[in-house]
Amino acid sequence: MLVTDLIHSCSNDKVAQAATFCIGGVFAERVLAVAQENGVSAGRFVAVVVRDFALRAGETERAQLAREMAGCDQPILSGLRRVVEKALEGGAQFADDVKGFGMPFVRRDGGLSFDAAAELRRAAAR
């Protein structure tokens, strides 16, 4: 249930941005830096990561996240941080399902592919 709540709430750009600022600190600075490098808001970047998690995470990964979130004072923020940190570390590839991207969005090294960066900019402008 907590994982579903995380996905539903933080798939929204504005909610994702507010949650990122609530977490704050180095985490928020890293998210903002990566988002700015790619010409999007922090909220847009985080929402894309969350939507990708929703699309690609299997039952085992979701269950692991739920266990990590359980018992936290702020479980949604804790779960969001874990999902986004994984993407920031370069261990995830994702696509913006809302705009129908079918290609990898982030390379394994964590950088955006040229095509993906262009698509993300177009999506942000819409």
Side-chain angles (χ1 to χ4, degrees), residues 66-88:
R67 284 189 297 275
E68 292 171 359
M69 293 169 68
C72 291
D73 289 340
Q74 298 176 323
I76 301 296
L77 296 180
S78 176
L80 179 65
R81 183 177 191 147
R82 291 178 196 280
V83 168
V84 174
E85 281 180 345
K86 182 174 181 182
L88 290 173

Side-chain angles (χ1 to χ4, degrees), residues 13-36:
D13 296 10
K14 292 183 188 296
V15 174
Q17 183 144 346
T20 300
F21 289 137
C22 284
I23 294 169
V26 174
F27 171 79
E29 291 173 10
R30 286 179 64 207
V31 168
L32 185 58
V34 171
Q36 286 177 341

Side-chain angles (χ1 to χ4, degrees), residues 4-121:
T4 301
D5 291 343
L6 164 68
I7 291 167
H8 284 220
S9 60
C10 295
S11 289
N12 177 284
D13 296 10
K14 292 183 188 296
V15 174
Q17 183 144 346
T20 300
F21 289 137
C22 284
I23 294 169
V26 174
F27 171 79
E29 291 173 10
R30 286 179 64 207
V31 168
L32 185 58
V34 171
Q36 286 177 341
E37 285 173 13
N38 294 291
V40 296
S41 70
R44 179 68 175 166
F45 178 78
V46 170
V48 167
V49 171
V50 169
R51 285 192 295 264
D52 174 68
F53 177 84
L55 284 173
R56 298 182 192 268
E59 288 302 315
T60 302
E61 192 171 0
R62 287 175 185 245
Q64 176 63 32
L65 180 61
R67 284 189 297 275
E68 292 171 359
M69 293 169 68
C72 291
D73 289 340
Q74 298 176 323
I76 301 296
L77 296 180
S78 176
L80 179 65
R81 183 177 191 147
R82 291 178 196 280
V83 168
V84 174
E85 281 180 345
K86 182 174 181 182
L88 290 173
E89 291 167 3
Q93 292 186 346
F94 53 95
D96 186 344
D97 63 304
V98 171
K99 300 301 177 192
F101 300 150
M103 70 196 120
F105 213 54
V106 171
R107 299 184 314 253
R108 282 273 185 225
D109 67 3
L112 285 177
S113 69
F114 178 77
D115 291 337
E119 290 292 335
L120 185 56
R121 285 188 193 95

